[in-house]
Amino acid sequence: MNQVARRIGKSLALVLPVVLVLSGTLAVTRVPWATSASEAQVLTASHQKETATTRSAPQEVLRRKLLGEVQQKNPGVALTHLQREMAERPSLAQYCGSIARSLGRAAVAKYGSVHRAQAWSRPVCDTAFATGVASVG
């Protein structure tokens, strides 16, 4: 009788964990709040799209601010603020050239003349402002 009990105990020790794991896995996948893989991907994609539109990248916020300064004041003020921002936030340095080119194009649009816009040129971001001015004209 003792050996029969041991044999049953060993059999249960091997089979029971497998049965419990499988039944637990099946139970979790059958609950109503579980989504299919395609639904989860759609939810993730829509969430990423929403956060991308509601939060702008820091360089885009800076670009819009400086373009507003070109329109309200002059390109010299915007270039000075760009230079200051690059000194304060070095993580934005990789965007300095593209922002300065945008400022150059905005200066030409405001003044209508490449020569008048070029007068505001400064050595900010390796003359990217001048490149932006020249690209319009």
Side-chain angles (χ1 to χ4, degrees):
M1 184 71 169
N2 203 4
Q3 277 198 337
V4 174
R6 269 194 194 150
R7 191 172 288 179
I8 292 173
K10 284 182 182 181
S11 298
L12 282 176
L14 291 173
V15 174
L16 194 58
V18 174
V19 170
L20 290 174
V21 168
L22 287 176
S23 64
T25 303
L26 292 174
V28 170
T29 59
R30 300 279 179 176
V31 292
W33 48 263
T35 58
S36 66
S38 62
E39 289 174 0
Q41 189 171 4
V42 169
L43 290 174
T44 304
S46 67
H47 177 69
Q48 288 171 348
K49 182 179 177 184
E50 181 182 310
T51 56
T53 56
T54 57
R55 268 188 290 149
S56 295
Q59 68 270 15
E60 291 306 316
V61 171
L62 178 62
R63 183 187 315 267
R64 283 194 300 269
K65 175 185 160 195
L66 295 176
L67 287 171
E69 287 181 353
V70 168
Q71 295 304 317
Q72 292 174 353
K73 297 174 184 173
N74 63 54
V77 172
L79 287 170
T80 300
H81 288 152
L82 176 63
Q83 193 168 15
R84 215 176 280 148
E85 284 291 326
M86 292 303 120
E88 291 174 5
R89 295 167 53 188
S91 62
L92 294 177
Q94 64 183 346
Y95 305 106
C96 186
S98 68
I99 293 172
R101 280 189 293 279
S102 297
L103 295 177
R105 288 190 291 271
V108 171
K110 179 179 180 180
Y111 293 108
S113 166
V114 171
H115 297 294
R116 284 188 67 195
Q118 190 72 0
W120 298 100
S121 187
R122 302 236 179 103
V124 178
C125 307
D126 296 328
T127 66
F129 176 81
T131 304
V133 169
S135 71
V136 176

